[in-house]
Amino acid sequence: MIRFECDYSEGAHEKIMQRLMKTNYEQTVGYSEDPYCASAREKIKAACDCPDAAVHFLVGGTQANATVIGSILRPHQGVLSAASGHINVHETGAIEALGHKVLGLPHKDGKISAQQVRDYVAAHYADGSFEHIVQPGMVYISHPTEMGTLYTLQELTELSQACRELNLPLFVDGARLGYGLAAGEVTLRDMARLADVFYIGGTKCGALFGEAVVITAKALQKDFRYHIKQRGGMLAKGRLLGLQFDTLFTDGLYEKITGNAARQALRIRAAFEKKGVKMHFDSPTNQQFPELTQAQMDALSRDFSFTYWEKAEGEYHAVRFCTSWATKDESVDQLIAAIEKL
Amino acid sequence: MIRFECDYSEGAHEKIMQRLMKTNYEQTVGYSEDPYCASAREKIKAACDCPDAAVHFLVGGTQANATVIGSILRPHQGVLSAASGHINVHETGAIEALGHKVLGLPHKDGKISAQQVRDYVAAHYADGSFEHIVQPGMVYISHPTEMGTLYTLQELTELSQACRELNLPLFVDGARLGYGLAAGEVTLRDMARLADVFYIGGTKCGALFGEAVVITAKALQKDFRYHIKQRGGMLAKGRLLGLQFDTLFTDGLYEKITGNAARQALRIRAAFEKKGVKMHFDSPTNQQFPELTQAQMDALSRDFSFTYWEKAEGEYHAVRFCTSWATKDESVDQLIAAIEKL
Amino acid sequence: MIRFECDYSEGAHEKIMQRLMKTNYEQTVGYSEDPYCASAREKIKAACDCPDAAVHFLVGGTQANATVIGSILRPHQGVLSAASGHINVHETGAIEALGHKVLGLPHKDGKISAQQVRDYVAAHYADGSFEHIVQPGMVYISHPTEMGTLYTLQELTELSQACRELNLPLFVDGARLGYGLAAGEVTLRDMARLADVFYIGGTKCGALFGEAVVITAKALQKDFRYHIKQRGGMLAKGRLLGLQFDTLFTDGLYEKITGNAARQALRIRAAFEKKGVKMHFDSPTNQQFPELTQAQMDALSRDFSFTYWEKAEGEYHAVRFCTSWATKDESVDQLIAAIEKL
Amino acid sequence: MIRFECDYSEGAHEKIMQRLMKTNYEQTVGYSEDPYCASAREKIKAACDCPDAAVHFLVGGTQANATVIGSILRPHQGVLSAASGHINVHETGAIEALGHKVLGLPHKDGKISAQQVRDYVAAHYADGSFEHIVQPGMVYISHPTEMGTLYTLQELTELSQACRELNLPLFVDGARLGYGLAAGEVTLRDMARLADVFYIGGTKCGALFGEAVVITAKALQKDFRYHIKQRGGMLAKGRLLGLQFDTLFTDGLYEKITGNAARQALRIRAAFEKKGVKMHFDSPTNQQFPELTQAQMDALSRDFSFTYWEKAEGEYHAVRFCTSWATKDESVDQLIAAIEKL
């Protein structure tokens, strides 16, 4: 069985593993105040061209989303998100557990627009009983989205402008940011310039685990470590996170390995399309969503794992194949061979 | 200006006011442990034909909704509700502030069905990653709904059956329950038999303020007074609530005065329909939703207040006229005269 | 049985009751946006000599405490309070239910000092792991305290200065503020000048129910009505609150009637002291705490209700007698006669 | 600089590191549903002699404490704990952030007794206004405590009995459980028999990170994975946790390596005592608390890191030296040599 069901099936890039081995018996201070974290912070700030950013390392995506959102919103505020957003669907209500409503917006393949944000805010204050309604307090997007799609530079710029005019911090969930950077036009520097806070996913992009939260907006930086601790995200051996991100941001490793995932994903997509299979979403990133018949699903599931997504039109079902930094040529070769036989 | 914009424009029924005056200098113990509350509890339990119910008096609707829902759900659970439900739209996220997601369902004029509840629960557990999704923990409906519509006895019976099979407590928001009882086929005894917890609205139905929460399900009765206190709803002079409900449930006063509201509402509706005005929702209760042109709205708003609801088709706008226990014949006469001149 | 167990045994001052009767059928807009609330706000702001204050009317004390504190603190912050403070002891964890720790300080008869606040804050930031500890975010005191004691003007001034230097909003719980104003040197204007937010108790001081929250600090005024609604405190018929406070702040009624309570309390105290009974706390306000033997308690409890407070030294027990705006001369005469017979 | 300031200065035991390397490119399913987690669960259940326990793997201690406590308490309940308990002091209010008060009890070197629990519960229900007070809902202890002390088997048995009689789940924070098992009379089987839920610390006892939560009480097992996900603790590559605990519970590795820490700690203690230094707490575990003069602190801090604890009597200061699974003989040799020169 070769696994394409998600992008966290393997461990970590071997450079990380080797360095973990090598530094295992070093003694460092805890809670991310060690030299590895310090070094990783500097490298990330340099890569973002944002020397005044605050960089924090958290263990996972749900934790990062909850900690960031909880640190920003006031009790009467909610977070605008695509209704399909991970925080709205797949985090067991972690945001509501902090007291905040996720204000779900209709989306286009996982994306929302600056105009939607402007309209929502205008409608809120135009309502006579606005104080009886949750106040929009920030905007959350994912890049790439749950559907693998990407914001264009113009779309992201417009969203950022709208958010700044409306005084709504813009938070970008970058659990798969590496795959977005590898496949789209938005660069890490763009992200740091346009978002107020975002995170660089490690768990799905080469690390054992870990997300690097980058807070570019000064006003959002204050006291963030208290929030990390309160939400259970202050890793005792914080150096584990620092060392991993330090490695990923040395010699362009992060871009290199996420580029592999994008390349493999497009090979898979091309194989499906050559076979006449329709893609459910137009994803340029490491998640691909072919629409298959039950017979095709059965055939492929003999040797490959993938995820059922949703019912498509007619006899078709959308499923998801993920590649990752660890996906091997030969695994994709085998999959393509199987696709050709469908 | 005659007000039809809501059903809480006036004070309280005169029998309540007189009794408040008469008992003003009596000394009683606080926190609803006084004889007036005791008497009101007995009368309500008798009216519900439910001697084992627990009856508590809270100040207002949002407080009642939050206190009840917060007392039932576990942290990982949410409450199923029509997307149009008051808790989902007009309570500034009070439920989310307690940590719980409102799981909004598509609705038909404010109502949801037993089948929707069954389907939602089945879909939840059929999802491979169900533990990543908020667990449905109870069902909330309003009777009447926000749109003035009512559940039939069969619909309510089916919902109740589904909830009991699925082990989901059924909670009925009865902010306007009196107007529902006056206009529909569901009786107070039906409600007590079919709901696990519901409240009898006082604020909109003859009292200065106050809602009587009736908990019929034994398992939900435990420790409820702690919840009331914690949520800020333990009125020091609790007798104010007891006395009001004791009065409303003496000699059928509650039914008598809510019947007036229904009668007046249907007079208004008939006048609009005679004039060829389309009703936006088919409401038999004290809220009526005519679709008016801008010119008609302007004409009526000279002497009458009413609420803008939403854009209707073409040149029309749905607006809301409310009657109440206090609505006078002559006020409705004047409104009807104005409608006839449209 | 004559009740001295609390200060909320009766209804409301007769001027309030008469005005409620008289205005009962008036139609007004809801949610405290009516003319009565507007008038009451102006009178309170004038009495406070603070034209820029924001004044809001809430139903009860626990609700007021929770709504104010929840509107101020950030998630990682707690509220400094005397360990004996009402929020720490008698509100079923309402503050913790909002996510915040009550940081209890040792107290002297219910009071805390500026120096304690300064020391606590200094110690917090001096701790190497301060981010692992709840950050002090505001200060809560009661005036009068739970023990009936009062801050002197100098003590309150010093607390206010410390709070402003440390950037900690100072919130004063004034559930019994009227009795404090009547008995101490701190005036309403002092309170408005020295506190950042406080409330003027109505429930215990002449109203049926209601507390007037006065927010003098500009930065704390923003969006407060959202918080009121979310916490269940937005009374539909808000005019009930406005009318009561408008009455209490007309022709000095509030001072007049709370002065009665202080006077009666001191009569009771004098009677006890004449009899050689020791007072547990040195209270100049409407709560008096004699230390009685079991036999004395038994004797007095035949005709009078009072509250058991705590074990005192030796064979003595501290109990509490409360007077209020409604306490009659003849009731106190009877109590004094009984005390003399002890 | 040799670090004795905490027990998480190094990485993980080399057997863990080697296995992580060896399995790095294996593909497994996520979220702790992989074979490594399954195997670790079986080994832990066997070691606990508790085949019906539920075993879950979380990343860290604060997260484990919050997730467990949040899964047990109802909104109006709090958790009884020594006032010195980690949840009450050093988790930035993580429990309060879930809505629950930590009910701090006076302690004896970090421990609380069955009698204290019984007294607290009795006093709660004896109070006339008990519904205005947070209800005690569970008991939290640490073993070892923050002061390195241990419960005797009899003390733990009595606590367990009291909790079961009072229907309060007993939760044991075992962040340093391994060091307690190595130094005291309570075994893992005792713990599984007497606690309703506890965790086996990995972060401080040989793992890179991770705590194994063992839920022995059936009633507390339901839906626990939802809670893990909601609190941000569902590690995508859950196998990392499973593999570590599987290794620690193979061939008695956990006991072996924690025994080293206890042995080294007692060597340090003996050296201090030989020098006439008083120990602040009587700890048999890996934390030792000598009372030093400023000069002694200065002398030792040249080559060794340790933690300032608190002011002791006279000119003395209590400080903390920690050993761990990774502490080397030669490091302790050097420390002892330095102690001898004091």
Side-chain angles (χ1 to χ4, degrees), chain D residues 252-264:
Chain D
L253 185 62
Y254 193 66
E255 296 93 70
K256 225 172 292 174
I257 65 178
T258 53
N260 173 60
R263 192 173 53 82
Q264 304 288 11

PDB file of all heavy atoms in Angstrom, chain D residues 252-264:
ATOM      1  N   GLY D 252      11.433  -2.612  30.225  1.00  0.00           N
ATOM      2  CA  GLY D 252      11.596  -1.839  31.453  1.00  0.00           C
ATOM      3  C   GLY D 252      12.462  -0.610  31.321  1.00  0.00           C
ATOM      4  O   GLY D 252      13.049  -0.137  32.301  1.00  0.00           O
ATOM      5  N   LEU D 253      12.555  -0.065  30.105  1.00  0.00           N
ATOM      6  CA  LEU D 253      13.428   1.094  29.909  1.00  0.00           C
ATOM      7  C   LEU D 253      13.032   2.278  30.791  1.00  0.00           C
ATOM      8  O   LEU D 253      13.890   2.971  31.350  1.00  0.00           O
ATOM      9  CB  LEU D 253      13.416   1.511  28.425  1.00  0.00           C
ATOM     10  CG  LEU D 253      14.372   2.634  28.051  1.00  0.00           C
ATOM     11  CD1 LEU D 253      15.821   2.228  28.298  1.00  0.00           C
ATOM     12  CD2 LEU D 253      14.194   3.055  26.588  1.00  0.00           C
ATOM     13  N   TYR D 254      11.730   2.497  30.912  1.00  0.00           N
ATOM     14  CA  TYR D 254      11.260   3.659  31.679  1.00  0.00           C
ATOM     15  C   TYR D 254      11.754   3.625  33.121  1.00  0.00           C
ATOM     16  O   TYR D 254      12.287   4.605  33.626  1.00  0.00           O
ATOM     17  CB  TYR D 254       9.720   3.694  31.630  1.00  0.00           C
ATOM     18  CG  TYR D 254       9.086   4.979  32.106  1.00  0.00           C
ATOM     19  CD1 TYR D 254       9.269   6.176  31.412  1.00  0.00           C
ATOM     20  CD2 TYR D 254       8.261   5.000  33.234  1.00  0.00           C
ATOM     21  CE1 TYR D 254       8.658   7.357  31.835  1.00  0.00           C
ATOM     22  CE2 TYR D 254       7.648   6.175  33.661  1.00  0.00           C
ATOM     23  CZ  TYR D 254       7.850   7.352  32.959  1.00  0.00           C
ATOM     24  OH  TYR D 254       7.244   8.506  33.394  1.00  0.00           O
ATOM     25  N   GLU D 255      11.615   2.487  33.769  1.00  0.00           N
ATOM     26  CA  GLU D 255      12.068   2.393  35.160  1.00  0.00           C
ATOM     27  C   GLU D 255      13.584   2.520  35.258  1.00  0.00           C
ATOM     28  O   GLU D 255      14.124   3.121  36.179  1.00  0.00           O
ATOM     29  CB  GLU D 255      11.670   1.051  35.787  1.00  0.00           C
ATOM     30  CG  GLU D 255      10.183   0.854  35.909  1.00  0.00           C
ATOM     31  CD  GLU D 255       9.619   0.139  34.709  1.00  0.00           C
ATOM     32  OE1 GLU D 255       9.886  -1.061  34.537  1.00  0.00           O
ATOM     33  OE2 GLU D 255       8.926   0.799  33.898  1.00  0.00           O
ATOM     34  N   LYS D 256      14.253   1.898  34.287  1.00  0.00           N
ATOM     35  CA  LYS D 256      15.705   1.881  34.332  1.00  0.00           C
ATOM     36  C   LYS D 256      16.263   3.308  34.305  1.00  0.00           C
ATOM     37  O   LYS D 256      17.083   3.680  35.143  1.00  0.00           O
ATOM     38  CB  LYS D 256      16.223   1.085  33.121  1.00  0.00           C
ATOM     39  CG  LYS D 256      17.327   0.107  33.451  1.00  0.00           C
ATOM     40  CD  LYS D 256      17.653  -0.795  32.241  1.00  0.00           C
ATOM     41  CE  LYS D 256      16.501  -1.762  31.911  1.00  0.00           C
ATOM     42  NZ  LYS D 256      16.738  -2.547  30.675  1.00  0.00           N
ATOM     43  N   ILE D 257      15.759   4.099  33.352  1.00  0.00           N
ATOM     44  CA  ILE D 257      16.373   5.419  33.172  1.00  0.00           C
ATOM     45  C   ILE D 257      15.911   6.425  34.217  1.00  0.00           C
ATOM     46  O   ILE D 257      16.654   7.329  34.572  1.00  0.00           O
ATOM     47  CB  ILE D 257      16.145   5.965  31.742  1.00  0.00           C
ATOM     48  CG1 ILE D 257      14.673   6.236  31.477  1.00  0.00           C
ATOM     49  CG2 ILE D 257      16.724   5.011  30.717  1.00  0.00           C
ATOM     50  CD1 ILE D 257      14.409   6.815  30.092  1.00  0.00           C
ATOM     51  N   THR D 258      14.709   6.246  34.735  1.00  0.00           N
ATOM     52  CA  THR D 258      14.293   7.172  35.785  1.00  0.00           C
ATOM     53  C   THR D 258      14.994   6.832  37.097  1.00  0.00           C
ATOM     54  O   THR D 258      15.239   7.712  37.919  1.00  0.00           O
ATOM     55  CB  THR D 258      12.760   7.168  35.958  1.00  0.00           C
ATOM     56  OG1 THR D 258      12.326   5.811  36.139  1.00  0.00           O
ATOM     57  CG2 THR D 258      12.080   7.750  34.738  1.00  0.00           C
ATOM     58  N   GLY D 259      15.324   5.582  37.263  1.00  0.00           N
ATOM     59  CA  GLY D 259      16.097   5.194  38.442  1.00  0.00           C
ATOM     60  C   GLY D 259      17.434   5.911  38.491  1.00  0.00           C
ATOM     61  O   GLY D 259      17.904   6.324  39.571  1.00  0.00           O
ATOM     62  N   ASN D 260      18.044   6.116  37.357  1.00  0.00           N
ATOM     63  CA  ASN D 260      19.311   6.851  37.315  1.00  0.00           C
ATOM     64  C   ASN D 260      19.157   8.261  37.881  1.00  0.00           C
ATOM     65  O   ASN D 260      19.979   8.724  38.675  1.00  0.00           O
ATOM     66  CB  ASN D 260      19.811   6.950  35.865  1.00  0.00           C
ATOM     67  CG  ASN D 260      21.035   7.854  35.753  1.00  0.00           C
ATOM     68  OD1 ASN D 260      22.051   7.595  36.364  1.00  0.00           O
ATOM     69  ND2 ASN D 260      20.901   8.929  34.994  1.00  0.00           N
ATOM     70  N   ALA D 261      18.086   8.902  37.516  1.00  0.00           N
ATOM     71  CA  ALA D 261      17.868  10.277  37.986  1.00  0.00           C
ATOM     72  C   ALA D 261      17.762  10.317  39.498  1.00  0.00           C
ATOM     73  O   ALA D 261      18.338  11.197  40.157  1.00  0.00           O
ATOM     74  CB  ALA D 261      16.602  10.843  37.350  1.00  0.00           C
ATOM     75  N   ALA D 262      17.020   9.363  40.052  1.00  0.00           N
ATOM     76  CA  ALA D 262      16.841   9.331  41.509  1.00  0.00           C
ATOM     77  C   ALA D 262      18.187   9.097  42.189  1.00  0.00           C
ATOM     78  O   ALA D 262      18.527   9.755  43.182  1.00  0.00           O
ATOM     79  CB  ALA D 262      15.841   8.246  41.883  1.00  0.00           C
ATOM     80  N   ARG D 263      18.935   8.194  41.638  1.00  0.00           N
ATOM     81  CA  ARG D 263      20.240   7.876  42.221  1.00  0.00           C
ATOM     82  C   ARG D 263      21.164   9.105  42.206  1.00  0.00           C
ATOM     83  O   ARG D 263      21.774   9.456  43.220  1.00  0.00           O
ATOM     84  CB  ARG D 263      20.870   6.729  41.423  1.00  0.00           C
ATOM     85  CG  ARG D 263      22.088   6.082  42.056  1.00  0.00           C
ATOM     86  CD  ARG D 263      22.517   4.842  41.266  1.00  0.00           C
ATOM     87  NE  ARG D 263      22.707   5.121  39.843  1.00  0.00           N
ATOM     88  CZ  ARG D 263      23.825   5.663  39.318  1.00  0.00           C
ATOM     89  NH1 ARG D 263      24.840   5.979  40.089  1.00  0.00           N
ATOM     90  NH2 ARG D 263      23.906   5.876  38.016  1.00  0.00           N
ATOM     91  N   GLN D 264      21.202   9.797  41.081  1.00  0.00           N
ATOM     92  CA  GLN D 264      22.060  10.988  40.978  1.00  0.00           C
ATOM     93  C   GLN D 264      21.580  12.077  41.926  1.00  0.00           C
ATOM     94  O   GLN D 264      22.391  12.790  42.537  1.00  0.00           O
ATOM     95  CB  GLN D 264      22.053  11.524  39.537  1.00  0.00           C
ATOM     96  CG  GLN D 264      22.464  10.515  38.472  1.00  0.00           C
ATOM     97  CD  GLN D 264      23.966  10.193  38.481  1.00  0.00           C
ATOM     98  OE1 GLN D 264      24.692  10.571  39.418  1.00  0.00           O
ATOM     99  NE2 GLN D 264      24.410   9.469  37.473  1.00  0.00           N
TER     100      GLN D 264
END
